[in-house]
Amino acid sequence: MTRYVYLNNIRKSTVRSGISTKVFNFIAEKALKNVNGIILDDDNNNVSIGLKNNVVVFKITTVIKKGLDKEAVKKEINEYITNTMNFICDSMPFEITIKLYEKKDKDDGK
């Protein structure tokens, strides 16, 4: 069953406006595709979206190329998600947890 985050400030009578958690999942997956150094493999990437008191919780686990600056990659993912969330719904609270693991990229030839 699809879960929704309800926007409290957009309400007419008894109708509440909500956004599916699938939208937030898409945002996180798109962030991983747009950040350089992430090894894009379904086995390596895990994105889960949770809701805690109408707060969207992003939990991202992914693998990056060995030798990259983890903090810079985390910052880039965080900025992408933050910018997108502010663009879509600027008043919606959210949290982001990112775990990165290093792995030698098989395309490197090393």
Side-chain angles (χ1 to χ4, degrees):
M1 182 171 161
T2 303
R3 296 178 300 169
Y4 293 88
V5 176
Y6 294 99
L7 304 174
N8 294 328
N9 56 347
I10 302 176
R11 187 176 181 154
K12 291 184 179 181
S13 65
T14 59
V15 179
R16 289 173 50 182
S17 182
I19 300 175
S20 169
T21 55
K22 290 180 181 180
V23 172
F24 305 114
N25 197 47
F26 177 78
I27 291 169
E29 288 175 358
K30 197 72 168 165
L32 295 180
K33 290 179 182 175
N34 285 314
V35 174
N36 291 329
I38 293 179
I39 299 173
L40 295 175
D41 184 359
D42 290 338
D43 296 336
N44 294 331
N45 298 323
N46 183 18
V47 173
S48 66
I49 305 299
L51 298 175
K52 183 172 59 174
N53 299 327
N54 215 34
V55 173
V56 179
V57 180
F58 292 88
K59 291 185 181 177
I60 300 170
T61 304
T62 191
V63 177
I64 62 172
K65 294 177 184 175
K66 194 165 186 84
L68 288 179
D69 181 8
K70 286 185 179 181
E71 292 306 313
V73 174
K74 281 184 183 182
K75 182 179 177 188
E76 199 171 341
I77 294 170
N78 199 341
E79 284 178 358
Y80 185 91
I81 292 172
T82 300
N83 290 341
T84 305
M85 288 294 290
N86 288 338
F87 179 73
I88 292 175
C89 42
D90 60 356
S91 63
M92 182 168 293
F94 61 94
E95 298 172 5
I96 305 170
T97 303
I98 303 170
K99 292 183 182 177
L100 301 177
Y101 299 97
E102 289 184 336
K103 181 179 178 183
K104 190 184 293 187
D105 192 6
K106 55 187 165 190
D107 293 338
D108 282 346
K110 295 179 182 176

